[in-house]
Amino acid sequence: MSCRREATALPKRSMNINAVVTSKNALRSHGDHGVSSSRHLITAAAISITWMVVLCATFNPKWETNDDVAMSMVAHGYGIADYGSAHLFFSNVLWGVIVRSLPSINGILGYSVATMLSLTLAGAAIVYFLLRLAIRPIFTVLVLIVVFMRPTLFPQFTETAGLLAVGGVLGLLSYQRRGSVFDLVAACCLAFLAYLIRDLELALVAAVGLPLLPWRKLIALRSARLAAVGLAICLGGATVANVRAYSSPEWQTFRQQNFARAPLTDFDATKFILERPELMQRHGLSPNDVRLVSNWFFVDPRLSNPDLLRSLLSEIPPQAVIERNFASSLTAFSLPLGPNLLTLTLTGLALLIILLRPSLLAAWLICFAFMLGFALAGRSPPVRVCFPLFALLTTAAVTMQFRLPQWRRLLLAATLLVGSLFNAWHLIDEAAASDRTIALARHPEFVSPRSTFVWGDALPFESVFPVFTREYDVRSTRIYGFGVLTLAPFSVAVADEAANRGFLAQLQSNAGIPLIAKPAELALLSVYCMENFATPLQTSIATQAELWTVVNASCTSPADE
């Protein structure tokens, strides 16, 4: 009996010893894991910060589009904005609060500081997660050159949001493979920040990333489900805050006008209206009136009336729109071969051919489906929207090399090297040319208490107000802009109209207005003067700069002077 008891007790003692050994191994593994994570984090931060400092010290970054210039003006109350506001319109109001709360660094405006910090964070996150996925540091540097060189030299808020979202996708991949809760939380934080900067771009990146993520495994993990709930609560809170911020009557009026004009300015609905003379005649419009609205001329309340614009659009047969847009939709697929996307496209396609992964192919097909959707809606897909999608496809391909044969790994490395060299060669020339343009655009014409009227992109906003614009350079800059935000409550245009210094009032005065416009826009305005005031547009050159001309324009006849 005793022998049997001892025999039965031995396995228990053995099991206890094994448990202790297993526990020690687990602790040792956890410690190694923590050290590895910290090392990867420090390495990623060092690479991303060094990259940002070197590029910004060598070149003068310029905004990719004038959207960021406009939002910087709104945030800090200069240019087109009569006062500073967190209502950036294109981004969530919470992002506006963050931007306005940041101090200037060496006079650089908070919006620029926030953008460059976000890009540095996105770069560090992508490098960190690549290191966590066992990608060698040299490959992460090549990815940084291919993906981040253009967004760093030519930042754009949609691209910034998209790259943060790419980091979030890689974070989920790292969490699934390594099981680190830190990686999961970091991925959610990146997604939330991307949402604040540009919510629609986060949705697009997430959709393209669907085939790349092991959703079934992630859903099965309790921590992933809790993180998803937490992220959803944060996104919902940000959405509620944004809705409440734009719920005032003046913002509701602006939003109605903005939604009504979008088909004409953004989706090429003008051509369908111009083909129907009886439609324009019935609403008391001339072809010139329609062309004016499609060229951001919202200063005449009769033409920018939301009810009028909605009525015009409602009489266009949807079938005719779909058929016309479908016939021209194939041109959208030439965008990936344009100069801004060519390197990413060729690099990504080469990696797709090397890897031959069905999930990667599915992600490419979803990306092209979205591009087709833009074309069918009547708009060529913008580069700023597509760039993060191709960045995701290229970066995700790099993470799939861990099971490749040696010759394919060498081919993948060669592809990244060629892509990075070509990208650097192309962008160094472009950045040097941009620096020369910025130097030519430095003029003090806009430092004046009187508004300068600027029509659309006739003024190269990106060069006049580059990324590292100092606050003391723009303190007294006042611009009456013709664009998306012309009728926004914070705009100079609204303030000037309220003070009886509006565009039409001054245009009909003997003094006229200082106006920057392209020849085609001046031609439209001349016809408008003849149709509405029975007098031609009178113009004379007031200031001749290198990149633009300020003309004094008025709709008064010589007899009235």
Side-chain angles (χ1 to χ4, degrees), residues 33 120 201 236 272 276 377 421 479 536:
H33 175 79
T120 305
E201 189 64 21
F272 299 102
R276 293 165 173 79
L421 291 175
I479 294 175

Side-chain angles (χ1 to χ4, degrees), residues 62-83:
K62 185 179 75 172
W63 299 112
E64 179 75 20
T65 66
N66 58 20
D67 295 332
D68 287 277
V69 181
M71 288 194 289
S72 178
M73 290 177 171
V74 173
H76 304 295
Y78 70 97
I80 66 169
D82 188 53
Y83 56 87

Side-chain angles (χ1 to χ4, degrees), residues 98-122:
I98 293 171
V99 166
R100 284 175 54 79
S101 66
L102 289 177
S104 64
I105 298 178
N106 193 28
I108 298 173
L109 296 165
Y111 185 89
S112 299
V113 173
T115 298
M116 302 314 281
L117 287 177
S118 297
L119 283 169
T120 305
L121 174 62

Side-chain angles (χ1 to χ4, degrees), residues 124-146:
I126 289 176
V127 170
Y128 169 75
F129 291 128
L130 288 176
L131 293 173
R132 299 283 288 160
L133 293 167
I135 305 302
R136 293 181 179 180
I138 185 61
F139 288 135
T140 66
V141 173
L142 294 178
V143 169
L144 209 61
I145 296 173
V146 172

Side-chain angles (χ1 to χ4, degrees), residues 398-420:
V398 177
T399 68
M400 299 177 180
Q401 62 171 292
F402 62 96
R403 290 182 180 176
L404 288 179
Q406 184 66 23
W407 70 271
R408 284 194 178 184
R409 288 191 183 187
L410 293 175
L411 195 57
L412 186 145
T415 300
L416 280 178
L417 179 60
V418 171
S420 61

